[in-house]
Amino acid sequence: PPLRLRSSRSLAASAALVLGALAGPVASVGAQQWDAARDFSGANNPNGVWSYGHSSATTSTAGSTVGPAALSLYAFRRTGSLNPDNFPNWYFGPSAGSLACGDGNPGIFQPTRALTGNVVASAGELLAHPGCSAQTAFSVVRFTAPSTGFTPGSYTVNATFRGADAGTRDVFLVWNGMHLLNTQQSPGQQLVGRGASTSFFDTFTLASGDVLDLIVGPAGVYNSDNTAVNLTITSVTNAAVIPEPSTYVLLATGLGALGVVARRKRRTVTA
């Protein structure tokens, strides 16, 4: 029996299926985004959704509940001869005192020019350094999802760590007390020396009050542990589908194939 022609509606539906099947990564139009390095402030702590401080642990436990570590905010800023370049910064304290490790650490700073000496970093990178004592071991950049101006839903979480100094350090990414990245639990995964790096990327459902901690800790000796860190949180909820350029090529190929099928059916019917 002769084959029936597909209607234009059927072909349109097929085209839609092809587009849905071929659509690549999507972009979020008007996405909410927070970026630790871009948003860093040496004037305010807390700074909106961001807090900078130190902790004696990477998580805390209350009964059977594990949650974010207790965070002590940095309150000291290096100025004058301690910071001749006037880089934005936060530190545990001045250089004196055993808890401040004799050099003011732990702390965090952001160079406004490229560094090429003992510490190697680009302008605008965020550098965290751990402490030497049990009380101040971990240097923390904390993101807390706000209660206002925040849309609960799916968010990509992108964390990066790179050794900017000669030392060895452990790095962590912790979500509400759950380790997403923990080099301390993975022997041989510590970041050793300049250029050693690791990263984390995934999508999570975030709600107001959720806490993400970006943490640098000492792995043995704490000296020379400056570490370039960043954390970016970007919404993907209600994302508009914007195919990658390669998707349009695949779509054109698929639609061309549909056209060939339609022409063959037309010839079959009229033959």
Side-chain angles (χ1 to χ4, degrees):
L3 294 174
R4 295 183 177 179
L5 281 172
R6 284 189 179 186
S7 68
S8 59
R9 181 177 300 175
S10 297
L11 287 175
S14 299
L17 287 173
V18 171
L19 176 60
L22 296 180
V26 300
S28 201
V29 176
Q32 289 184 298
Q33 185 183 74
W34 296 269
D35 184 293
R38 181 196 65 199
D39 303 340
F40 181 68
S41 169
N44 300 299
N45 188 19
N47 171 35
V49 299
W50 301 104
S51 302
Y52 319 110
H54 64 88
S55 179
S56 61
T58 58
T59 63
S60 64
T61 303
S64 59
T65 303
V66 176
L71 185 67
S72 298
L73 296 180
Y74 294 132
F76 180 80
R77 283 179 287 178
R78 290 180 173 177
T79 58
S81 61
L82 294 177
N83 183 18
D85 290 298
N86 199 30
F87 293 156
N89 70 92
W90 288 103
Y91 278 87
F92 173 80
S95 58
S98 60
L99 287 181
C101 307
D103 58 7
N105 281 304
I108 184 168
F109 75 99
Q110 186 175 52
T112 54
R113 61 172 177 82
L115 302 179
T116 58
N118 292 331
V119 177
V120 177
S122 299
E125 285 194 297
L126 203 55
L127 301 182
H129 197 293
C132 61
S133 68
Q135 298 97 316
T136 64
F138 300 101
S139 190
V140 183
V141 176
R142 170 168 291 181
F143 169 85
T144 304
S147 57
T148 59
F150 178 83
T151 304
S154 296
Y155 286 78
T156 60
V157 174
N158 185 16
T160 59
F161 302 84
R162 179 185 55 78
D165 213 334
T168 300
R169 71 282 285 164
D170 278 309
V171 297
F172 311 80
L173 177 65
V174 186
W175 175 33
N176 293 337
M178 179 177 67
H179 285 107
L180 303 177
L181 176 65
N182 182 348
T183 62
Q184 196 174 60
Q185 294 180 348
S186 306
Q189 296 303 305
Q190 289 88 358
L191 302 190
V192 181
R194 302 178 188 89
S197 64
T198 190
S199 61
F200 178 92
F201 182 88
D202 208 340
T203 301
F204 297 94
T205 300
L206 300 182
S208 295
D210 279 1
V211 173
L212 282 157
D213 283 339
L214 197 68
I215 303 174
V216 176
V221 179
Y222 92 104
N223 301 80
S224 304
D225 282 348
N226 280 297
T227 307
V229 301
N230 201 21
L231 177 63
T232 304
I233 300 101
T234 306
S235 65
V236 294
T237 305
N238 300 322
V241 176
I242 304 176
E244 295 293 318
S246 58
T247 301
Y248 290 108
V249 176
L250 293 174
L251 176 60
T253 302
L255 292 176
L258 287 174
V260 170
V261 171
R263 286 193 296 272
R264 287 180 177 174
K265 289 181 178 179
R266 188 177 295 109
R267 286 197 295 270
T268 301
V269 171
T270 58

